[in-house]
Amino acid sequence: MANFSHSNNKKGKVYVLDTSAIIGRFLSSDSANITTNGVIKEIKDFNSRIFTEDALEDGRLEVREPEQWAIKRVQSIMETSGDILRLSEVDMEILALAVTLTESYEPILVTDDYSIQNLSKILKILYRSVLTQGIEEVYRWILICQGCKKQYPPQYKGEDCEICGSKLFKRRIKGS
Ligand SMILES: [Zn+2]
């Protein structure tokens, strides 16, 4: 049984990425991002493969495999919940990886798959969807000059920099 007890020693947060998370280009910059080999094999489109290979190479994405006890636990819950028909082997493994990681971390499963989210709930694994960053982290836009990098507020009306005349582009920044 995984340890969910709360203590003052807060466990480090890790993100567990399923295929939809990688295709949605999810990568946390403040916590580890972990996936399975099965997920990586599922990534077929060229741009997503490049994204995955880059992330693996520079260590932003790591590969781990679930442990047997966690696989058994997920399989038995899949059988009783009726989700067994909707979930693939790869889906089961990513859930089992999240369960495995509860031993040492606070894993957050990143997925847009409703069945995986449903199972996460039953397994008491935290989850979030890929495209709802706005819920957890507030982002806003600023305008930045391509030339001198001067920043402008999003409501700035001009298209060009008042200092150097270069084009301005939008950048998403993390708010507080
Ligand atoms: Zn400028």
Side-chain angles (χ1 to χ4, degrees), residues 41-112:
K41 284 194 196 111
E42 256 186 2
I43 308 290
K44 298 279 187 253
D45 83 275
F46 181 75
N47 288 327
S48 298
R49 286 218 66 91
I50 298 284
F51 170 80
T52 308
E53 279 160 25
D54 282 351
L56 287 169
E57 218 162 90
D58 63 26
R60 283 176 301 154
L61 181 62
E62 297 164 42
V63 174
R64 293 263 308 257
E65 297 309 321
E67 286 175 20
Q68 277 308 314
W69 64 266
I71 291 175
K72 289 204 181 96
R73 176 138 185 262
V74 173
Q75 281 173 335
S76 73
I77 285 181
M78 276 166 75
E79 280 162 25
T80 53
S81 75
D83 282 296
I84 195 152
L85 298 174
R86 288 189 286 273
L87 290 167
S88 68
E89 176 95 12
V90 171
D91 296 336
M92 184 277 291
E93 282 176 2
I94 202 76
L95 278 157
L97 176 62
V99 172
T100 301
L101 291 168
T102 58
E103 294 239 291
S104 333
Y105 301 96
E106 182 187 57
I108 299 163
L109 195 43
V110 184
T111 180
D112 278 340

Side-chain angles (χ1 to χ4, degrees), residues 34-45:
I34 310 180
T35 193
T36 61
N37 265 312
V39 165
I40 287 176
K41 284 194 196 111
E42 256 186 2
I43 308 290
K44 298 279 187 253
D45 83 275

